[in-house]
Amino acid sequence: MSVRVLFVTSEAYPLVKTGGLGDVSYALPNALRQQGIDIRLLLPGYKSVLEQLSLIEVYEEIRISPLEHPIRILAGTMPGGICPVYVIEGLSSYESDGGSYQDNKGQDWSDNALRFGVLSKVAALFGQHHLLFKPQIIHCNDWQSGLVPAFLKYTPNPSVRTVMSIHNMAYQGLFGSEMVEKLGLPDESFSMFGLEYHGKMSFLKAGLYYADWITTVSPTYATEIQTLKYGCGLGGLLQTRKKTLTGIINGIDTKAWDPKTDPHLSHHYNTKTLLLKKRNTKNLRKKCKLSPSKSPLIGMITRLTEQKGLDFLLPIIPKIIKSGAQLVILGSGNKEFEKNLKDLALQHPKHLSINIGYNEKLAHQIEAGANIFLMPSKFEPCGLNQMYSMRYGTIPIVRRTGGLADTVVDVSLNNATGFTFENENSKELLASVQDALKKFEDKSFWQTLQNNGMNRDFSWQNSATQYVSLYQRLLTSQRV
Ligand code: ADP
Ligand code: GLC
């Protein structure tokens, strides 16, 4: 059975990406198409999206409230890929702000409700079979498309089914209650048994409340988000929906992240030619102006947010350096974290390299050049970088949470691939780093860790199969 699916997302690599959602929105649809699913993407028409899409054509012109002017749906194909993409063109804020959710001071765009309300509303039109492509399933991702199931609930539709995937509970899309009417949803939706959340309109809650099925991106996170600690205020709702909530671990794009062929690397390597990794390390040190050294190089690539454990990492960076390691950090986000990191780099110019900004090439070079990769996240729905690291023979140190707990096998276990620690504090993180630095001295042990990680299968195939089963189950079962 070939299932028709519309995958609604606010980012998709290489068109637009701010984090892991962008990676997933590229790789998962491709993997699903390979399994025979007729999946197509719907995205906002950011400038970068319009510029990169091949074979773009006007598909439909539509009018939707509250917009006073018509908008267009364009159709194209993913660059270098096979997946058809629909793009909403004609909303000026999509074109001016390049795909971010915030301005450069870290403030959310004031019209985010409209930007993503429109995205959800157009998706719902597909769901009502008002447009040429008539999906059987609409697969929504994060709060930006959370309103789709709500729109479909209150409009006649030919029983299209909805899946709401949570990539991060911490971002919920909360807006003033006036947006309910403005976006064209009925008053009755603004209820505890609907999309209301402490007097606000919650896009994420709408998705979690009205969708036929909920998924999240790892089994451990699926359990965690039903608790007070990780549920971000929606744990109770998720508990009531636990029979329709599944955790499916993300895969990674094993073509884009392959040390044997990665075009960003000066030297390619595999498990048999691991010595060549050292040349990438040498080049990375040089590029980042770190002093030549035989001690381990620790890498980190991240959005600089609370989520990623920066507040308990920052105070121990001098101690990590004192223990003999060097660090390369690439990231952007919270301005205070950026400033504190830059200040630390001034104090340790030969041992700490801070690279503020978004840099795809450097990200690949860090994965290949670093010996150790840090991900001390407070919570991590899935996390992709730890998987890239294991594939590149770069040993991850992670906190045991969410997808990190599901993908990294601790040194104390068989087939270990990395180091894990339990609690979010500087002491445990430092102990884990020091343990790794010590074990780095044991070359044969280290190589075993590297081999174990590099031999693991992180491809999308297995996860895509689970999504296919879910789609099929939804189409053959009664609505819950
Ligand atoms: P999250 O989605 O929470 O940011 P993930 O680990 O799932 O975390 O995915 C992050 C993705 O974004 C990875 O592909 C990572 O390499 C990339 N990334 C994050 N920050 C940067 C940056 N500053 N430069 C380049 N790539 C980055
Ligand atoms: C989110 C999460 C991250 C996950 C990514 C893709 O941004 O923070 O853990 O890997 O989405 O699902």
Side-chain angles (χ1 to χ4, degrees):
M1 170 169 64
S2 170
V3 182
R4 295 184 307 277
V5 181
L6 185 72
F7 191 89
V8 190
T9 180
S10 52
E11 47 187 275
Y13 175 85
L15 304 173
V16 50
K17 166 176 156 181
T18 70
L21 175 60
D23 292 297
V24 172
S25 302
Y26 171 78
L28 174 58
N30 268 343
L32 285 167
R33 284 194 84 80
Q34 277 159 24
Q35 301 208 8
I37 300 288
D38 181 6
I39 189 164
R40 308 184 187 194
L41 257 59
L42 176 68
L43 273 168
Y46 298 122
K47 202 161 157 245
S48 65
V49 175
L50 297 174
E51 279 168 3
Q52 290 178 72
L53 269 189
S54 36
L55 298 173
I56 210 151
E57 59 181 286
V58 177
Y59 177 70
E60 306 252 357
E61 182 164 276
I62 51 173
R63 286 184 172 274
I64 50 168
S65 67
L67 299 180
E68 280 159 8
H69 55 274
I71 51 175
R72 283 160 300 286
I73 299 173
L74 309 182
T77 316
M78 265 300 199
I82 42 171
C83 193
V85 184
Y86 299 115
V87 168
I88 302 164
E89 194 233 349
L91 206 68
S92 56
S93 49
Y94 283 165
E95 277 158 58
S96 54
D97 300 324
S100 56
Y101 309 112
Q102 299 180 327
D103 63 21
N104 54 18
K105 292 199 186 81
Q107 293 299 315
D108 288 351
W109 297 118
S110 58
D111 65 344
N112 267 349
L114 186 68
R115 292 174 191 215
F116 299 109
V118 166
L119 174 67
S120 299
K121 217 165 173 175
V122 171
L125 283 182
F126 277 95
Q128 289 169 264
H129 292 183
H130 287 334
L131 303 174
L132 282 175
F133 178 59
K134 301 188 181 357
Q136 297 160 286
I137 305 258
I138 302 202
H139 190 151
C140 310
N141 293 278
D142 275 349
W143 71 265
Q144 293 87 345
S145 45
L147 286 192
V148 182
F151 282 124
L152 287 170
K153 160 84 183 169
Y154 294 106
T155 40
N157 72 74
S159 76
V160 68
R161 297 302 168 96
T162 50
V163 175
M164 179 74 221
S165 284
I166 307 165
H167 298 263
N168 198 328
M169 288 291 296
Y171 304 100
Q172 304 194 346
L174 293 176
F175 303 100
S177 55
E178 71 286 355
M179 289 312 297
V180 175
E181 195 194 338
K182 196 163 176 202
L183 290 171
L185 280 159
D187 287 350
E188 66 171 286
S189 67
F190 192 69
S191 137
M192 192 178 147
F193 303 103
L195 52 75
E196 183 263 347
Y197 182 75
H198 294 288
K200 297 243 178 196
M201 173 187 202
S202 165
F203 276 38
L204 180 65
K205 188 178 170 214
L208 302 183
Y209 190 82
Y210 293 109
D212 292 306
W213 204 276
I214 302 169
T215 70
T216 188
V217 289
S218 68
T220 295
Y221 195 58
T223 311
E224 287 175 341
I225 54 180
Q226 296 175 44
T227 64
L228 195 62
K229 178 168 177 189
Y230 294 96
C232 301
L234 295 170
L237 168 60
L238 287 168
Q239 259 175 41
T240 67
R241 295 223 50 189
K242 69 176 173 212
K243 291 204 173 111
T244 47
L245 164 63
T246 324
I248 302 178
I249 193 87
N250 286 333
I252 57 170
D253 181 344
T254 47
K255 274 204 188 107
W257 294 91
D258 184 351
K260 296 192 285 300
T261 53
D262 189 330
H264 301 298
L265 309 190
S266 55
H267 295 87
H268 294 139
Y269 58 93
N270 58 32
T271 44
K272 297 201 174 65
T273 55
L274 260 174
L275 274 181
L276 292 172
K277 181 173 163 65
K278 284 198 175 149
R279 303 208 187 154
N280 292 293
T281 309
K282 193 172 165 200
N283 286 344
L284 181 62
R285 278 203 165 93
K286 207 160 150 196
K287 182 167 183 169
C288 295
K289 303 193 172 58
L290 298 175
S291 58
S293 166
K294 287 208 158 42
S295 61
L297 181 57
I298 301 180
M300 186 168 182
I301 304 161
T302 186
R303 290 183 293 112
L304 297 171
T305 62
E306 282 269 324
Q307 173 189 347
K308 304 294 180 177
L310 269 307
D311 55 337
F312 62 95
L313 169 65
L314 272 160
I316 56 166
I317 286 182
K319 288 190 182 143
I320 295 178
I321 293 171
K322 216 168 158 202
S323 307
Q326 294 179 323
L327 290 101
V328 182
I329 300 179
L330 166 64
S332 64
N334 179 303
K335 297 295 156 204
E336 206 174 308
F337 287 143
E338 288 185 3
K339 182 178 177 309
N340 291 344
L341 284 168
K342 283 194 271 190
D343 287 350
L344 276 169
L346 288 176
Q347 292 162 33
H348 305 276
K350 296 283 165 217
H351 301 284
L352 173 63
S353 161
I354 299 300
N355 306 272
I356 301 296
Y358 189 89
N359 188 333
E360 192 75 30
K361 190 179 183 72
L362 183 57
H364 285 249
Q365 292 170 341
I366 292 176
E367 286 295 4
N371 304 107
I372 294 170
F373 194 89
L374 269 192
M375 270 180 100
S377 308
K378 289 188 172 161
F379 65 93
E380 196 61 75
C382 178
L384 300 173
N385 274 305
Q386 81 280 13
M387 292 190 268
Y388 301 152
S389 301
M390 289 183 270
R391 200 160 153 75
Y392 279 63
T394 304
I395 306 305
I397 298 181
V398 304
R399 191 171 96 73
R400 251 187 329 271
T401 183
L404 300 175
D406 291 338
T407 54
V408 178
V409 183
D410 186 66
V411 270
S412 59
L413 303 168
N414 284 340
N415 300 317
T417 60
F419 296 79
T420 71
F421 64 98
E422 182 69 36
N423 294 304
E424 47 206 87
N425 62 54
S426 303
K427 201 169 153 220
E428 287 194 30
L429 170 58
L430 184 61
S432 214
V433 172
Q434 286 174 337
D435 188 24
L437 299 185
K438 206 160 127 223
K439 297 220 165 61
F440 180 74
E441 302 299 319
D442 182 346
K443 294 299 166 213
S444 106
F445 178 74
W446 199 259
Q447 208 170 326
T448 307
L449 291 183
Q450 291 180 303
N451 282 328
N452 289 347
M454 291 173 86
N455 288 328
R456 286 269 299 273
D457 176 9
F458 293 116
S459 69
W460 268 102
Q461 216 173 350
N462 181 27
S463 318
T465 306
Q466 294 180 57
Y467 283 104
V468 174
S469 313
L470 171 62
Y471 295 155
Q472 288 175 336
R473 196 165 1 125
L474 278 174
L475 291 180
T476 49
S477 63
Q478 291 298 313
R479 219 178 212 148
V480 276

